[in-house]
Amino acid sequence: MKTFVGYLIVGLLRLIGRIPFPVAQRIGVGLGRLLLRFRNRSRDVARVNLQLVYPQLAGAGQQELLREVLEESGKSAAEMGAMWGASPEKGRQLIRKVHNQHILTDALQSGRGVLLCVPHHGNWEVLNHLMTLHTPITAMYRPAKNPVLDRWMLSSREQTGITLVPTTRGGVMALFRALDAGGVVGILPDQEPKRQSGVFAPFMGVETLTPKLPHDLLQKTGALAIFAFAQRLPDAQGFEVHFLQASDDIYSDDARTSATAMNEAIERCVAVCPAQYQWTYKRFKTSPDSEGGINRYKNAGVR
């Protein structure tokens, strides 16, 4: 059954990859509206997250933002066909503008390793298509639970020229080696780690369990850190890529100070287009009093 489901999902993604991009995005909007109408995990998680980080919004304001978030999430899902099921050239054609290109250029010319931090914001898959035009890049990925889908996702992503390593000890060591050699490593800096692998630092006004791996990579390799995200443009016009720098605190030998600087940089990314952040993810599940963190979602009836 799992194999059948995997082939079915891959088939759907291939199909979406063949239809015009505006049509795919309209499908995504429809999916988002369904998520808003009927109770589901994505809607409930997003509602809790928005209440935590935007308490100043009135009820109607939060509901409007929730609608936008779910529509943007639907677009992200529908765009996966274009990102994975189409050629790299087609993916690159969707990039309309690059902001602060000099940040990337200067980092690549520094002679040091470069840690590219790509939050779950906009469509992060777009960065694969752009970065491999400029440099080889090694990135960590979390394998999908379905083996058929995982194999297809891996081969589709690697056709852009990116080298992927799994979230294992061997994968982590590969990141250190790449940075030591002056290469470029891409990571998603806003996934909740295991408790022992993280440090609490403020994110959007909430004490958030934040991965220590970026801090360790920077400390042990002397790499530079830059941030990037792909902002979705309205009316299926494509994407604009933004590069940002974090404050120098990200290079602090104190893990919390470094994590705070990293989260501040992510906040600046989110501020450009708040609805395009992945608010459907349980980013605040764990808190310093871990039971309270779990209850943030459980109390709202979210499994």
Side-chain angles (χ1 to χ4, degrees):
M1 184 62 180
K2 183 178 287 189
T3 300
F4 171 76
V5 171
Y7 282 117
L8 178 62
I9 294 173
V10 170
L12 288 172
L13 288 171
R14 285 184 180 274
L15 177 62
I16 293 174
R18 292 178 180 273
I19 65 178
F21 188 69
V23 177
Q25 283 206 338
R26 286 198 292 272
I27 293 173
V29 170
L31 175 59
R33 291 175 179 172
L34 285 174
L35 291 174
L36 181 64
R37 183 173 180 180
F38 300 102
R39 185 168 187 183
N40 55 84
R41 182 178 179 276
S42 293
R43 188 187 73 173
D44 291 346
V45 170
R47 191 188 304 277
V48 172
N49 286 339
L50 294 178
Q51 289 171 349
L52 282 170
V53 302
Y54 296 117
Q56 72 279 12
L57 290 180
Q62 284 199 353
Q63 186 64 18
E64 175 62 18
L65 181 55
L66 176 63
R67 179 191 64 79
E68 294 176 5
V69 164
L70 294 176
E71 289 185 2
E72 294 297 328
S73 294
K75 291 178 186 178
S76 292
E79 289 164 0
M80 290 304 101
M83 294 298 108
W84 296 338
S87 67
E89 291 74 19
K90 184 176 179 180
R92 288 163 185 155
Q93 288 171 3
L94 294 171
I95 301 173
R96 305 305 183 199
K97 186 175 181 180
V98 179
H99 297 267
N100 299 320
Q101 173 86 43
H102 68 277
I103 292 177
L104 173 63
T105 302
D106 291 347
L108 294 178
Q109 293 177 351
S110 69
R112 298 161 64 181
V114 177
L115 183 65
L116 178 70
C117 300
V118 182
H120 288 85
H121 192 44
N123 189 321
W124 47 94
E125 298 289 342
V126 173
L127 272 299
N128 294 342
H129 297 277
L130 175 66
M131 288 300 299
T132 51
L133 282 176
H134 299 279
T135 179
I137 182 170
T138 301
M140 179 170 281
Y141 85 106
R142 181 170 294 174
K145 294 181 179 179
N146 188 292
V148 175
L149 178 60
D150 182 61
R151 287 195 298 270
W152 184 74
M153 287 169 54
L154 183 61
S155 63
S156 297
R157 283 168 163 166
E158 288 185 332
Q159 75 174 346
T160 66
I162 192 171
T163 298
L164 293 170
V165 296
T167 51
T168 61
R169 178 175 175 79
V172 171
M173 297 310 297
L175 300 185
F176 278 100
R177 288 194 297 270
L179 290 176
D180 278 332
V184 179
V185 160
I187 62 166
L188 300 168
D190 53 350
Q191 288 180 315
E192 183 174 274
K194 294 180 180 179
R195 186 68 177 260
Q196 66 271 20
S197 300
V199 60
F200 285 99
F203 173 57
M204 303 292 291
V206 181
E207 283 293 315
T208 305
L209 187 60
T210 304
K212 289 192 296 185
L213 178 59
H215 168 260
D216 294 340
L217 289 168
L218 294 173
Q219 284 291 300
K220 295 178 181 179
T221 68
L224 293 172
I226 62 174
F227 289 73
F229 70 95
Q231 177 187 10
R232 182 179 298 107
L233 299 174
D235 303 319
Q237 296 177 63
F239 302 90
E240 290 188 358
V241 174
H242 298 255
F243 287 98
L244 300 87
Q245 290 178 319
S247 73
D248 289 342
D249 283 348
I250 199 169
Y251 303 107
S252 170
D253 57 5
D254 178 71
R256 177 178 166 85
T257 301
S258 177
T260 299
M262 181 174 73
N263 286 346
E264 286 173 349
I266 298 172
E267 288 180 21
R268 286 164 49 210
C269 296
V270 174
V272 175
C273 42
Q276 294 188 25
Y277 190 65
Q278 193 185 37
W279 296 116
T280 55
Y281 173 63
K282 290 184 178 180
R283 185 66 188 93
F284 307 108
K285 184 168 64 175
T286 304
S287 67
D289 55 334
S290 59
E291 187 61 28
I294 294 172
N295 284 342
R296 286 173 179 152
Y297 300 103
K298 283 190 174 181
N299 289 344
V302 184
R303 291 183 292 177

